[in-house]
Amino acid sequence: YDTGENKDSLNSFGDIQCQPIVVKGIMYGTSPAMKLFALNASTGTQLWKFDPFAKKSTKQRSHALRGVAYWQDGDDKRILYGVGPKLLAINANNGELIESFGKHGEIDLHEGLGDKESIGHDIGELSVKLTTPGIIFKDLIIIGITVSEAGDAAPGYIRAFNVKTGKLAWVFHTIPLPGEYGYETWP
């Protein structure tokens, strides 16, 4: 399968780092330009391709995408994957955003990271990227995020979002906050 994104058209994009998944004969993966695709796994024939930047005025940026997550409940089949600071829910049958998930098919991954008072930075200015697919447990997708090595690093919290609605279900603070088990204060 050729994504059609040769080196000349990629500019600063990289290579495919995605470990694709195969579900009932359909392969789902991502391209270097962060497009999600579905293929007939036997023939390599493209069934659909989703471009997260097609309808947006957002500047396209590239980061590693190492996989996607799949969830199903009856006929409701979803692919979840991260593009920059967003988690997107895509209909696995036709490659369209699931409008009922979050805000028009996406959620902002700054959600649940705290506020300026608790982390010392304006949340919206933190570098937040989802490079790994996360894991599905029942109706939750459980994710971490890439933590920058610069001053714009977001806290490395582990969060769970509802796969159907996009609502934040819970946050695990990898470094306990005041009042949480494991937090100690200096005398």
Side-chain angles (χ1 to χ4, degrees), residues 159-176:
R159 293 168 291 159
F161 293 90
N162 183 290
V163 173
K164 293 179 180 181
T165 65
K167 291 186 186 214
L168 182 65
W170 54 259
V171 178
F172 174 76
H173 301 120
T174 50
I175 299 174

Side-chain angles (χ1 to χ4, degrees), residues 33-49:
M34 306 175 102
K35 295 175 183 172
L36 176 66
F37 56 81
L39 311 174
N40 177 310
S42 297
T43 66
T45 303
Q46 182 176 299
L47 304 173
W48 54 258
K49 189 182 253 186

Side-chain angles (χ1 to χ4, degrees), residues 11-13 33-34 51-63 83-86:
N11 299 326
S12 63
F13 298 122
M34 306 175 102
D51 182 351
F53 303 104
K55 296 180 181 179
K56 300 182 182 205
S57 59
T58 310
K59 182 179 177 184
Q60 187 169 356
R61 295 185 181 127
S62 178
H63 62 78
V83 176
K86 305 287 183 183

Side-chain angles (χ1 to χ4, degrees), residues 8 10 43 53 57-58 76 80 94 115 117 142 147 161 165 180-181:
D8 294 334
L10 294 179
T43 66
F53 303 104
S57 59
T58 310
D76 189 357
L80 294 108
N94 60 22
D115 55 25
E117 184 178 315
I142 302 167
V147 180
F161 293 90
T165 65
E180 294 179 337
Y181 178 77

